[in-house]
Amino acid sequence: MSAEPVVTEKALTVGEALVELLALNGVEVVFGIPGVHTVELYRGLAASPIRHVTPRHEQGAGFMADGYARVTGRPGVALVITGPGLTNTLTAMAQARQDSIPILVISGVNRRDSLGHGRGLLHELPDQHALAKTVALYSHTLLNPADLPAVIERAFAVLGSGRPGPVHIEIPTDVMAAKVSLPATVRPAQATRPRADAETLQKAAILSAEARRPVILCGGGAITAEAEIRDLAERIGAPVVTTVNARGMMAGHPLNVPASPSLKAVRALIRDADLVLAFGTEMGQTDYDMYADGGFPLLDKLIRIDIDATQLAAGPQTAMSILSGARAAALGMLGFLPDDVAGDGARRAEAARKATLKELTAKMRAEIDIIDTIYKTLPEVTIVGDSTQVVYAGNLFCNAPRPRSWFNSATGFGALGYAPPAAIGATVGVGGAPVICLVGDGGIQFSLAEIGSAADISAPVIFLVWNNDGYQEIETYMIDNGIVPEGVRPGAPDFPKAAEAYGIPGKRLARLEDLAAALTEAAARKGPSLIEIHETLTAGIKR
């Protein structure tokens, strides 16, 4: 979002100036819980155009910011207190770091003259800044009020310029109320993204044109380049394999392979390729080797395009590494390609899709059918997932209808309890359209109270709870490895009644075939609702 420069001569408190600078940089909503260590940062917020959404837990604030960022492509902002507020948010920051999601966490910290002295102040940490730096791309302690404009500018430049992730700013309590004069003209931060030179892109284009069995791999960093990558794939006849965070790219296209590169059939497609182009993907274990079997093929001809030089240096080995944003690289390569390169990519993609589905168990295919039912019933919906069995199945194969319509915490950092608050953040980001929170009975209990947050703002989140009476995935793993299951059967509340306690409708499906009707009914309401699918109490579940 572009914004006009702020022109002001008035002296503001740091809190008031912060609000103005956030609005200048396109911030429309902040997620936070006020406390005595942040109330001065709220001065001026009520009169600003920025909306405030209150979670039930600071971790929820971070996850809401994450969900908002994923659906909008813009930074999500969390505002939390010092000490436990920041430590509660660290889990969400770590998830955002692993999945390359731009969130800005603004926290309080105790007054300047107390830092590092261990005087036993309320919410005191030995070194809060050092703690945040372990997960943040950039962390700054605002010691001088006059530095605020420059610090905010740098924060948004970092969020928009390289590989995204969490950024942290902490403001001492004695600085918050200090007066600061903004410069006469304050402009929004400018993002600067790396672009490869023409010679490099021409070389990549020549190799692509010469390939007879090319394959394209797309990660979350590629979703803003969908149109350009689609054109490139069509031009060279390359099946496009999407990781979890890229799922929904190429939706419905003959070249689309919406399946995990951890599966044998997809690996066979990649192994057979004489050139692999990897756009915006970390090529990490949870996407490429989720079963930790070491079976992902070594690639003799890999061209890797990434915005982060550190990622390019981390491996795997490449025939060519290109430091560039995905869109700029794909667009540049297209300029050097002839028009008549395309081969048999559609046939290879179709074969891979069919082989992938045959490879999956009947139970997994049944769970994928549930996801398909959701999208067919509510085509415009976004599904935000937690770590639960239906989500695991969807991460293996999911025909999401568009980018940003399928994401979850089951890869990367793998935080439980992510989906309820992230779904709330997502529905704020999409302007109130329905969002499905697909969560297990274990995961929702990590953040059950966020149902209340959804009720507060009438967020149209449909909490779809997959209840298998415990951590069934872990129990199965223990049994398969000869370990007597322990700790995998936590008790659970009656989820429909828990929803009703927060003032939202809840129901348990008697039959799985009733799901479409229940979704339609829930989507027609204003506000949240809860639907439970119970593996033993709901008829029609394949086990």
Side-chain angles (χ1 to χ4, degrees), residues 36-53:
V36 294
H37 286 68
T38 54
V39 288
E40 277 297 336
L41 298 182
Y42 279 75
R43 189 180 295 277
L45 185 60
S48 79
I50 297 176
R51 179 184 182 186
H52 184 273
V53 175

Side-chain angles (χ1 to χ4, degrees), residues 150-193:
V151 170
I152 294 295
E153 181 180 10
R154 181 175 178 185
F156 280 95
V158 169
L159 287 164
S161 295
R163 182 188 181 195
V167 166
H168 170 243
I169 298 170
E170 61 179 12
I171 304 177
T173 53
D174 61 319
V175 173
M176 295 177 186
K179 294 291 185 176
V180 59
S181 294
L182 294 180
T185 302
V186 185
R187 297 185 179 276
Q190 297 297 311
T192 304
R193 293 178 173 268

Side-chain angles (χ1 to χ4, degrees), residues 26-79:
V27 174
E28 298 175 341
V29 59
V30 296
F31 304 94
I33 302 175
V36 294
H37 286 68
T38 54
V39 288
E40 277 297 336
L41 298 182
Y42 279 75
R43 189 180 295 277
L45 185 60
S48 79
I50 297 176
R51 179 184 182 186
H52 184 273
V53 175
T54 308
R56 294 298 191 269
H57 191 282
E58 289 94 354
Q59 181 174 282
F63 285 148
M64 286 181 186
D66 177 300
Y68 175 90
R70 294 199 198 219
V71 297
T72 64
R74 303 192 300 272
V77 181
L79 183 56

Side-chain angles (χ1 to χ4, degrees), residues 320-354:
M320 190 175 182
S321 293
I322 301 176
L323 181 63
S324 175
R327 184 174 184 273
L331 191 60
M333 290 173 63
L334 283 167
F336 294 108
L337 281 172
D339 294 330
D340 56 351
V341 179
D344 66 343
R347 179 193 63 77
R348 290 185 292 129
E350 182 181 17
R353 291 192 299 268
K354 289 181 177 178

Side-chain angles (χ1 to χ4, degrees), residues 147-431:
D147 290 339
L148 179 65
V151 170
I152 294 295
E153 181 180 10
R154 181 175 178 185
F156 280 95
V158 169
L159 287 164
S161 295
R163 182 188 181 195
V167 166
H168 170 243
I169 298 170
E170 61 179 12
I171 304 177
T173 53
D174 61 319
V175 173
M176 295 177 186
K179 294 291 185 176
V180 59
S181 294
L182 294 180
T185 302
V186 185
R187 297 185 179 276
Q190 297 297 311
T192 304
R193 293 178 173 268
R195 298 174 65 94
D197 60 89
E199 182 180 354
T200 298
L201 296 176
Q202 183 180 29
K203 182 179 178 182
I206 292 171
L207 291 173
S208 300
E210 291 175 345
R212 290 295 165 261
R213 298 181 309 281
V215 169
I216 294 175
L217 308 177
C218 286
I223 59 177
T224 57
E226 182 186 22
E228 292 76 15
I229 291 174
R230 181 192 61 237
D231 291 346
L232 177 63
E234 290 174 347
R235 193 83 63 88
I236 65 175
V240 178
V241 177
T242 51
T243 67
V244 172
N245 286 333
R247 207 59 60 78
M249 286 184 64
M250 306 281 292
H253 196 286
L255 292 170
N256 184 27
V257 183
S260 171
S262 292
L263 293 170
K264 293 177 182 178
V266 180
R267 287 177 171 181
L269 172 72
I270 296 169
R271 185 180 293 108
D272 183 58
D274 57 357
L275 180 72
V276 175
L277 293 163
F279 284 91
T281 174
E282 184 183 19
M283 303 192 77
Q285 184 185 47
T286 55
D287 275 313
Y288 290 83
D289 193 17
M290 68 170 60
Y291 298 113
D293 59 11
F296 188 77
L298 294 174
L299 304 176
D300 293 331
K301 286 193 176 181
L302 170 64
I303 297 177
R304 191 173 177 194
I305 301 98
D306 203 279
I307 203 168
D308 185 358
T310 303
Q311 280 299 312
L312 293 174
Q317 284 192 336
T318 65
M320 190 175 182
S321 293
I322 301 176
L323 181 63
S324 175
R327 184 174 184 273
L331 191 60
M333 290 173 63
L334 283 167
F336 294 108
L337 281 172
D339 294 330
D340 56 351
V341 179
D344 66 343
R347 179 193 63 77
R348 290 185 292 129
E350 182 181 17
R353 291 192 299 268
K354 289 181 177 178
T356 295
L357 288 171
K358 288 181 180 178
E359 180 182 340
L360 301 177
T361 66
K363 181 177 184 295
M364 289 174 178
R365 291 195 297 270
E367 290 163 349
I368 291 167
D369 286 344
I370 291 172
I371 296 168
D372 289 342
T373 296
I374 295 171
Y375 282 129
K376 288 175 182 176
T377 305
L378 304 174
E380 300 303 315
V381 82
T382 297
I383 299 179
V384 182
D386 212 84
S387 290
T388 192
Q389 289 188 325
V390 181
V391 172
Y392 301 149
N395 284 348
L396 292 174
F397 191 100
C398 173
N399 262 317
R402 63 195 176 281
R404 306 185 191 276
S405 64
W406 170 269
F407 59 86
N408 55 76
S409 62
T411 61
F413 200 57
L416 277 169
Y418 165 87
I424 296 169
T427 197
V428 172
V430 297

